[in-house]
Every structure is written in C-alpha cells, then in structure tokens.
Amino acid sequence: MDYSKTLTNNNKILCETREHRYQIQCTDDFTLKFALSGNEVYRLGRRELSIYPDSFLILNKGTQYTSKIDSQTPVEVFSIAYDQNFLNDFNNAYANTDSSLLDNPVALQTDFNETIYPFKGDMKFNITHLKNNIERGLQDELLINEYLHHSLINYHRIYQSEIFNKSEKLAFTNKKTRVEIMRRLNSAKEYMYTNYNKNVLLEDLAQHSCLSVNHLLRTFKQAFNSSPHQFLTQLRLQRAQLLLRGTEYSINDIVCMVGFECPSSFIRLFKNKYKTTPMKFRKLAA
Amino acid sequence: MTIKYIPVFVKNIEDGVSFFKNKLGCTTMDIMILNNTAYQLMQINGICLALTVDETNSGAKTRVIFNSDDCLKDYHNLKSTGIAFNTPPQYLPIGLAAEFNDDYGNEYVLLEERNYNDL
C-alpha cells in the first residue's frame, strides 16, 4: 500500500512499493530509511549503501543522496522524517533527564553516523506496529507520534550499542582517534552489508575503509568481537534466512545469491549457527 | 484444572465496576456468592475477574498482568479513557510494559511480550 503522510507537526511517513526508481534528493530532516522487502541502494558521495529488510539507514538533515531500486520483484520502502522541533522536544523530554543521561551518554547527540544499522528488536516491533496500524486506517496523530517517539528511543539505544559502546572497546586512549577508527570500521561494515553477495577480498575491504589489512583485522575484532570474515559469514547466513523464509528460491540458488561458494559449506555453517538445516528451517517458517 | 476467576479487592463494588467497565472495557456478568462473600464477575477477553470487597480490611491487593499485542496502542487508548499510568511504557528483557493502579491500590501491568530471538 502506497501512502505519504505529513502530520500536523510536520513529521512525515512515506511507504511505497516500486520495482524501478531512481531519485536524487536532499533530506529536509533527520530520516530513517527502511527496505521492508527487497533492497534499495543509496549513494552518499562515493559511498554506496544497500539496505535490506534486516537493516536500516539514517540520514541527517541536509544530506544529498541518490537512491535506486532496480528489481524484478516489488521492493517495499518505508521512511520516517522527523521535524526538527519534534527532535528538540524529544531531546528535552527524554534525553535530558538525569537518569537517561547516566544510562545513555549519547543522549544529547544530534548528528548521528549516517550508516547502516541492524533492523531488529524493539525498533522492528514498533515500526511494524506503526505500519500495520496506518494500513488499518489509523488517523490518531497522538498515537502515531507516540510510535515515532519510541522509534527515536529505539534508535538511540541502537546507536549506543552499535557505535558508542563499540568505539569504547577500541584500544586507543585518544577519543578522536577512537571516533575516526570507528568511522572507518563502519565503512568496512557498510561495504560488507552492500557487497555481501560478491567475493569480498580483505584487501578491497581494507582499501575501502582506509586502513591497512593488519590494522583493519585488529581493530575490527576489538570493536565487533569477530573478524571481518566471521561478520560476513553471519550476515550471509542471516540474509539466507530471509530468503528461505520469504521466497521460494531453491537452496542452491540461495547459496549463490548470498555469496557462498558451495551448498555443503553453507548447510554446515547454517546448522552450526541455527541448530537446524536450511530445509527444516524453511518448513518450520512456512 | 484451570483458573476460573481472579479476585480483585475493591472498597466499593459499584465504583469498582465503573472502573473496570468504563476504563478497561470489561463486561459486567453475574454476582456470585461464595462462603457468604459476594463477587461481582467481570469479563475481559475470556478472562473473568471477580471484584470483591475486602471486608476484613486486611489490605489485600492484587496484581493483574494484561497481555497486549501492541503495548503502545493499548497504553494510548487506556490513557485516553482517563487511566493515569505510573510510568510510560518501559523496555524490559521480556518486552514492553506499562504499569497503572486503580483507586484501591491494585496494580496492573500492560505487557507486550516480544520474542527478540526471531528475525
């Protein structure tokens, strides 16, 4: 269902399903972007960021970007743009309370890393409820804003666990160095999120993130508790799960689509991680 | 054996019925007498609450946990009927929950359990 909703307080919600689309845009407000089925590719300067149903992207106010959907199957995209006053009220009501300042040192931050974040947990529950309710005809703006407020709470928590806590794990005493290394590690992560289905070489990954291979391996492990290779394998398995659950592609097709080289190693890794075989998982999910 | 009625202690049956009917959307059922105590039965989504007056003034309280499919929506709807929540919905390891009280000190939790292991 396609709709574009602008609330009285100027928060905007957009949902559309397309197979082909190319846009050049500039964000008016802080925006969350989701691809609820299929994928959409964003280009921010030289960076290419591809989002899938297990990830989302944030764009700060005033970011120029292009977005592209080019798919044989319909891609459903959903986005929320927050009015600046709503964000200020959120910061005053939620982030500036003493307890949340103690719990949440990123509370006062207003400019966030424009990168790909995992779409799961409370954020996923709340966005799904919001979307379902709008599609059932919800008009009550107070309730819609309640969902939007909670999505911001969820985003703050994701930011804290994905960026802040991980950068704190880096073994550099200088904060500026930690922030810069984290930015580069995020671009390595983005590269894997976007190119997970291709043959990702460590040298390319290091070059993309402006780190030497050794430096990348060491700092990536410090921040994410796994090597880039382990991270990529987990991502491929996760995307394979999405395909097993949401499509009818054969296991062999899925193996190729998520970038594994042979079905036997895919099945072994899948079994190790999820304690079940891909076929059994598909049957259970049906 | 299954649970049949959940007793809720109130100071006055009439006020209790008004709270459960007008604010929580329960339907009024029969009055049941058990061991000389009267219980006003109220039903909500197949579960029966039994309102009764605490004759002994023992200060007995009840804590009822309501299941919610969408805590934010139910929180918003209940707030608009005039229920004052103790806290806004809080994120817990089990899901999302908000708490409120009635005028008799009974506690209610609106709980949306969330399976975080799912994709």
Side-chain angles (χ1 to χ4, degrees), chain A:
Chain A
M1 187 197 266
D2 285 10
Y3 47 84
S4 167
K5 227 176 170 52
T6 303
L7 308 183
T8 325
N9 59 9
N10 220 19
N11 285 335
K12 297 183 194 77
I13 299 169
L14 174 83
C15 184
E16 55 185 5
T17 306
R18 297 280 183 276
E19 287 177 11
H20 304 282
R21 191 190 65 186
Y22 183 78
Q23 284 181 331
I24 302 174
Q25 279 190 328
C26 179
T27 48
D28 294 332
D29 291 300
F30 174 79
T31 307
L32 304 180
K33 299 270 186 191
F34 305 89
L36 301 175
S37 65
N39 87 298
E40 184 170 21
V41 182
Y42 288 84
R43 194 171 271 279
L44 278 69
R46 288 171 55 210
R47 291 160 69 204
E48 193 175 83
L49 302 118
S50 187
I51 53 167
Y52 286 80
D54 61 356
S55 52
F56 70 96
L57 173 70
I58 72 112
L59 297 172
N60 287 316
K61 187 175 180 168
T63 296
Q64 283 205 324
Y65 67 95
T66 63
S67 65
K68 189 175 79 176
I69 296 173
D70 188 14
S71 166
Q72 289 172 347
T73 50
V75 176
E76 189 178 30
V77 293
F78 188 79
S79 74
I80 303 172
Y82 292 90
D83 182 71
Q84 191 57 47
N85 289 330
F86 187 86
L87 285 176
N88 295 343
D89 285 349
F90 172 81
N91 277 339
N92 291 334
Y94 169 75
N96 286 355
T97 59
D98 290 346
S99 63
S100 90
L101 270 181
L102 291 172
D103 296 345
N104 183 3
V106 294
L108 287 175
Q109 195 160 340
T110 51
D111 200 25
F112 292 97
N113 282 29
E114 288 177 316
T115 188
I116 299 174
Y117 296 88
F119 183 40
K120 59 181 186 181
D122 288 313
M123 176 70 111
K124 187 158 190 170
F125 277 101
N126 288 342
I127 295 292
T128 308
H129 283 325
L130 169 66
K131 183 172 172 289
N132 290 344
N133 280 316
I134 291 178
E135 285 170 10
R136 283 192 213 113
L138 173 68
Q139 296 290 340
D140 187 341
E141 290 202 4
L142 277 174
L143 178 53
I144 296 176
N145 283 318
E146 187 82 46
Y147 285 112
L148 299 189
H149 177 87
H150 273 264
S151 307
L152 282 177
I153 295 177
N154 302 147
Y155 174 66
H156 269 81
R157 297 211 170 152
I158 293 172
Y159 184 87
Q160 187 174 354
S161 72
E162 288 297 312
I163 307 283
F164 188 84
N165 293 353
K166 289 191 166 59
S167 73
E168 291 290 295
K169 288 198 216 159
L170 292 172
F172 298 99
T173 41
N174 187 325
K175 191 184 167 199
K176 276 191 179 163
T177 313
R178 283 203 303 270
V179 168
E180 178 55 28
I181 296 291
M182 199 59 214
R183 195 185 62 75
R184 295 183 192 197
L185 290 177
N186 271 326
S187 68
K189 211 166 77 161
E190 280 164 27
Y191 186 83
M192 288 190 277
Y193 265 117
T194 305
N195 298 292
Y196 73 102
N197 49 2
K198 298 176 191 142
N199 186 18
V200 178
L201 296 174
L202 198 52
E203 289 74 20
D204 292 345
L205 194 60
Q207 195 185 10
H208 183 83
S209 52
C210 303
L211 290 165
S212 71
V213 170
N214 281 338
H215 206 176
L216 170 70
L217 284 173
R218 196 175 68 243
T219 49
F220 196 96
K221 184 114 189 174
Q222 278 173 9
F224 301 111
N225 287 339
S226 68
S227 67
H229 182 257
Q230 286 167 328
F231 183 89
L232 183 63
T233 304
Q234 293 311 316
L235 180 64
R236 285 173 170 168
L237 289 173
Q238 189 179 309
R239 299 249 155 114
Q241 249 197 351
L242 287 174
L243 290 169
L244 284 167
R245 182 179 283 191
T247 70
E248 288 175 356
Y249 290 114
S250 71
I251 304 276
N252 279 347
D253 286 345
I254 290 175
V255 168
C256 296
M257 287 165 84
V258 299
F260 281 111
E261 279 178 4
C262 74
S264 62
S265 69
F266 164 69
I267 293 169
R268 181 173 45 81
L269 290 163
F270 194 95
K271 215 172 158 184
N272 271 347
K273 166 89 177 157
Y274 301 112
K275 314 287 175 230
T276 182
T277 64
M279 279 308 272
K280 281 185 190 161
F281 175 84
R282 174 171 262 176
K283 272 185 196 157
L284 271 176

Side-chain angles (χ1 to χ4, degrees), chain B residues 4 7 11-12 28-29 42 55 67 71 81 88 93 96:
Chain B
K4 184 78 176 166
K11 286 210 176 86
N12 171 308
T28 314
M29 297 170 69
M42 306 289 296
E55 306 276 5
N67 175 49
C71 182
T81 67
L96 188 57

